[in-house]
Amino acid sequence: MLPISAVCGGIYRAAIRTLGTRNVPLCRRLSSGDGVLAGLADADTIFALSSGHGRCGVAVVRISGPAATTALRCMVGLRKHLPPPRTALLRSITDPHSKEVLDRGLVLWFPAPHSFTGEDSVEFHIHGGPAVITAVLQALGSVPGMRPAEAGEFTRRAFHAGKLDLTEVEGLGDLIHAETEAQRRQALRQMSGDLGRLYQDWSHRLKRCLAHVEAFIDFSEDELIEDGVLDRVDISVCDLQAEINQHLKDERRGERLRSGVHVVIAGATNAGKSSLLNTLCQRPAAIVSPIAGTTRDVVETALDIGGFPVLLSDTAGLRDSPDLVEQEGVRRARERVQQADLTLVVVDSTILPSEVKQAGAVLLKHLESVLTSQEQPEAGRCLLVLNKTDLLPEAQREQLSLGLRGTSGLPPVCLISCQTSEGLKDFLTVLQSTVQTMCADPLSGAPTLTQARHRAHLQQCAAALAQYWRYRDSDLALAAEGVRLALTGLGRITGRVGAEEILDIIFKDFCIGK
Amino acid sequence: MSRMLTRKLLPVRNILPPVTKRTSHVHRQRYDVIVVGGGHAGTEAAAAAARVGAETLLVTQKTHTIGALSCNPSLGGVGKGHLVREIDALDGLCGRAGDWAGIHFSILNRRKGPAVWGPRAQLDRQRYREFIQAELLSTPRLEVLEGSVEELLVTDPNPEEPGRHRVTGIRLANGSRSISASSVVLTTGTFLSGSLFVGHTVSPGGRIGDAPSSSGLSQTLRERLGLRVGRLRTGTPPRVLKDSVDLSLAKLHPPDSHPTPFSFMNTRTRCKPEEQLPCYLTYTTPGVERVVRESLHLNCHIQQDAKGPRYCPSIESRVLRFPGRRHQVWLEPEGMTSDLLYPQGLSMTMPPDVQLRLIREIPAMHRAEIHTPGYGVQYDYVCPTQLSPALQVKNTQGLFLAGQINGTTGYEEAAAQGLWAGVNAARWARSLPPAVLSRTESYIGVLIDDLVSRGVNEPYRMFTSRAEFRTSLRPDNADLRLTLKGSLLGCVSSARRDEFLRVKLRLQDAEAALRALTLSPAGWRKMMPGISVSESKNGSLSGMDLLQYKDVSFEMLASLFPEQLSPHMEFSERLKIEAVYKPHCDLSKREVERIQKEENMSLPQDLDYFSLPVSLSKEVREILDRFRPSTLGAATRLEGMTPAAVVNLLNYVQIAERKERMMNRSNAGHQEGRGDDLCARNASLPQ
């Protein structure tokens, strides 16, 4: 029998990794967290933004692990003496390499075991602007032995150290679920852009490299593997290495990811989605007409809801259409829904059956078709907006508003009329509190964290490719190991690559007999 | 010690153990283990069960085909050679049989790094069979019976454990005689509902020249036990008369000048270096492709090739999938005195006259004569996800399956499963908990884990790329990885254990000697001027560090420090490999430990995942219910599992274990030991 703590670390890591297995739909693979390299070490020191996102005065960056003191020494100029434990100090926080001052803030030092994780821990309380946070996180990532934390990792370490009680342990699964989901959505946003295509392309090329080295190892003695297979791998690895290193050097490149809670308006055609967008941003940002299918592309607006940044997107109405442009619009709408932190499902209330139970059933079915995610809608990730209530008889309106509240499986329901603004105030209150809850979660809408993670994985990838060259001529098994590790590193961004996938490429590219 | 010597010298003295047993009738009414089938899986299973201490009966259709090589006359290769070394480290037969029967030895991938070296040999069919039969017939506790099994005897499912049958024995075809046993290992190869294909002709059977097996077995598995079966295909090339082949038109491929034995127990092979026979390499021509295309309408086997494997088992699929290329054909000797050649790469199923036309399109065979035509086989396999990591059928206690019946292809894959099924069948019979090999410690573990947790949809063959810890699972260290474990299980002879302990101690001494040699980088540079020694962190480097350098060999170090190192020359190669690989193995150690821990956390087989009171999505519940992973480790590797689901399952397992511990504590007063189920749940090897 193993002590719980001994087992859990591994399980957790495996748990993260399984997210990236083959055949899992792409959207669920993207946040594949871990693999062999990070599996190397609990000895790793992790860091993350621990405070909420959005308009905040102070941001808290937490660091936990053996190198936490290194961060203190090289980033706040405490070379000789560590500060007294658990005492706030006001210091300048500098980049360890350029020595540039990044911010001035409070520094706290929690020596093990008296910290949340039971490990040596440091907290930086810095100014809440995104530029400052990004700079500090990037600086931390450049300290040897440090990497961005995976989902739930601080809690997991606390669990490891016996700092959590049983009820908290039971919540660990939910926590990891929530955090991996948040990472997934964030990664998905990033991956659908140019950067995502770049990473996918690297992953694809690296997979081919590995498949060809593996084919050469496993089959070249029996089968006819054309000459020059390895030469082509050499060229590919060389190019990849150069491209990744260049990418890592050029920090300004890469796309600017928009911050904020991503709220997507979705639903059937003519439900009044664009009207809702216009109502919310108080200007006619989207064209509104009684013609179904007016909105064909995604219309995006940045909003401030109760002081929190929100990126609001209006999407094409979901329906099967023979029109190619509209089909593309619907595809984009579905993509947006998958990446959304919060989906506002707008329904034309006049089409609902007047009987409440039936209406509930219709809405449940409708939700399923809009959200299309295999899992049930997470609590707090979806609001149901019944529009056009001005066209309903008073009695039915009341029945709906009371009756639907008790229907299980339904998210919060708001009855509004974009035409008359009826119910809008209540809806805004619900929306604001939902957004507020989301902003308390440091992971939602924080592209800097995703970028820091990607950077760390790319660095691992580049380092592993160097191993290919070190052994290229003396030991192909060890050279291949370098490519494997590189792919594992990159796989933590683009999705894990299994042995079967490599075999697929081998059998497609080479004729392998029995 | 004397036994060890005789074993060691055996191949050189050209003596096989005397055969003392008769095979026409059985001596007992009841056995611990009955093994059905005398192929590579069956022979290893029977021998392993007997070694572990079980009274064992091997039932086979014909005694004289025990140990027959039905297809290629060779053993080992890349990946497969790894398996042979591991089987040998567990005292299995095939490594030693290979050393006895080999007539052409070579290490494949010699220039690609020791982790992927592939020990391989061409075999003399006759000698291989001889060795296996002599070994089996002289193994204590093992009896061999010639006969055909009509039916597998199983109990009705236990009402308290729904779906749980128990095997009780077998019934033979002649005279309906029953023999009872605690465990039965089925290794029926391609005989389970097998059909043979040549051209348009289809006939029942699993191998040409052998009677088809009875349909009773297949029926029991499918209908009585409700096991899911699938269908796979394989094939074999025609055998060609050596004299009719113009070998001067093929490229000579000589063996290694110094044959390397497969077995850790052998220092030489029976075949002397200079007696070895060569192979020949030749290529297909456009004419071959033409003949395949012209005869497609006559080729029943290929026509059914709707959803074939990803690789190309037959010449037909090769030229169809990769047209316009030339393909390699190896001409391999079939034995020391055989007048046949085996054209590896020309497996085909067209009518015999077309086969002749096809091979004659190859220049070296333009006048060749066919001795036996090639043919295809289609057969049933049992979807291996229905097995536990001990290769026991999950819903039938005491029933084990090994070899092609589990969807694999290849002698080595079959032998590996056979050995492990044999060990576990014996353990079951003796009420011991199952033994499991991890994928972190062996290719056998990779093989079994892939089979039982992922299943197959094409014949499964071992490749080194399947092993994620390839740098530690090397052919050179199979003994260090497995022999001690085998010894604890009782499946390793005392001679092998003694030899292993000697080797292990000597290796340790040698490593200690190397570590004790420390010099500054400058000191090393002075002693070895040709080597660009880099600086080190703590200022000094040991002999072990130096050995990591590409251009430094153990011999070089030994010539510099003869006093300290010359006693260890026996292990020069192993030490060099260990020095180079150790840093890489250390890197993956943490990951290895993690997987091992998870593999030790068992999930009960009768869990009702749909009602399990933990937070799991419907999708995850369905996946778990379909695959019924045996351990948490296997569960994490399932496609579609989410991290949260794994953590929740972990919580469940821990709570269940805590309850179980408490229950045991309260029961300890009035109950001795624990039930088999509880043992099985905590499946782990004796430490």
Side-chain angles (χ1 to χ4, degrees), chain B residues 367-427:
Chain B
R367 283 185 293 109
E369 292 295 338
I370 288 179
H371 177 267
T372 323
Y375 60 93
V377 190
Q378 293 188 9
Y379 56 97
D380 281 352
Y381 74 98
V382 175
C383 300
T385 50
Q386 300 167 100
L387 306 180
S388 76
L391 294 173
Q392 180 171 210
V393 176
K394 285 176 184 172
N395 76 1
T396 310
Q397 299 179 335
L399 179 60
F400 296 80
L401 309 180
Q404 275 169 303
I405 194 173
N406 290 340
T408 61
T409 176
Y411 302 155
E412 302 80 0
E413 288 83 351
Q417 292 169 69
L419 186 147
W420 206 242
V423 166
N424 275 297
R427 289 179 71 80

Side-chain angles (χ1 to χ4, degrees), chain B residues 37-57:
Chain B
H40 298 271
T43 51
E44 292 288 357
R51 285 201 301 280
V52 173
E55 293 294 338
T56 307
L57 178 69

Side-chain angles (χ1 to χ4, degrees), chain A residues 13 34-44 485, chain B residues 586-591:
Chain A
R13 250 175 271 123
D34 216 41
V36 179
L37 273 179
L40 295 182
D42 273 355
D44 280 359
L485 289 173
Chain B
D586 287 348
L587 273 180
S588 49
K589 215 168 166 186
R590 209 178 269 270
E591 180 76 355

Side-chain angles (χ1 to χ4, degrees), chain A residues 345-378:
Chain A
V345 180
V346 183
V347 179
D348 179 351
S349 62
T350 59
I351 61 162
L352 290 175
S354 52
E355 210 272 312
V356 172
K357 255 198 189 149
Q358 281 177 13
V362 168
L363 286 172
L364 270 178
K365 215 167 154 208
H366 183 62
L367 270 181
E368 229 171 81
S369 76
V370 173
L371 298 175
T372 54
S373 122
Q374 285 141 326
E375 301 198 15
Q376 288 156 349
E378 264 177 275

Side-chain angles (χ1 to χ4, degrees), chain A residues 126-294:
Chain A
I126 53 177
H127 289 99
V132 171
I133 297 174
T134 310
V136 170
L137 289 179
Q138 279 195 358
L140 280 169
S142 70
V143 177
M146 302 262 253
R147 63 168 172 83
E150 300 293 348
E153 197 165 6
F154 279 96
T155 318
R156 199 261 301 163
R157 289 193 178 193
F159 173 44
H160 218 153
K163 294 270 179 181
L164 298 183
D165 65 25
L166 250 177
T167 50
E168 286 172 306
V169 173
E170 274 164 15
L172 186 60
D174 295 337
L175 175 78
I176 289 173
H177 178 68
E179 294 200 6
T180 42
E181 278 294 296
Q183 280 188 5
R184 175 186 70 77
R185 282 192 302 273
Q186 184 60 56
L188 209 57
R189 283 174 206 150
Q190 190 153 355
M191 294 306 288
S192 56
D194 290 342
L195 208 54
R197 273 190 290 279
L198 179 67
Y199 295 163
Q200 290 291 4
D201 172 58
W202 285 344
S203 165
H204 182 73
R205 283 156 64 193
L206 207 47
K207 256 187 270 185
R208 257 182 101 84
C209 284
L210 181 59
H212 287 201
V213 178
E214 295 288 4
F216 194 75
I217 287 176
D218 268 335
F219 307 107
S220 69
E221 301 262 340
D222 282 332
E223 309 287 346
L224 193 59
I225 304 258
E226 310 94 276
D227 298 336
V229 166
L230 280 190
D231 296 340
R232 284 201 297 277
V233 171
D234 285 353
I235 295 169
S236 250
V237 168
C238 193
D239 289 350
L240 275 166
Q241 234 182 334
E243 285 173 41
I244 294 174
N245 283 328
Q246 182 59 38
H247 180 79
L248 283 170
K249 248 187 257 165
D250 186 2
E251 300 200 357
R252 285 155 307 160
R253 228 171 73 178
E255 47 209 291
R256 218 184 121 60
L257 289 171
R258 275 154 300 189
S259 258
V261 176
H262 287 228
V263 178
V264 172
I265 305 177
T269 48
N270 251 3
K273 297 178 295 299
S274 301
S275 300
L276 180 62
L277 176 90
N278 291 344
T279 309
L280 283 174
C281 61
Q282 294 167 348
R283 67 185 165 92
I287 303 168
V288 179
S289 87
I291 302 163
T294 303

Side-chain angles (χ1 to χ4, degrees), chain A residues 17-19 40 214 220, chain B residues 112 470 587 590 594 636 643:
Chain A
R17 212 194 37 217
T18 47
L19 216 95
L40 295 182
E214 295 288 4
S220 69
Chain B
K112 293 182 202 155
R470 183 164 64 190
L587 273 180
R590 209 178 269 270
R594 171 185 74 71
T636 59

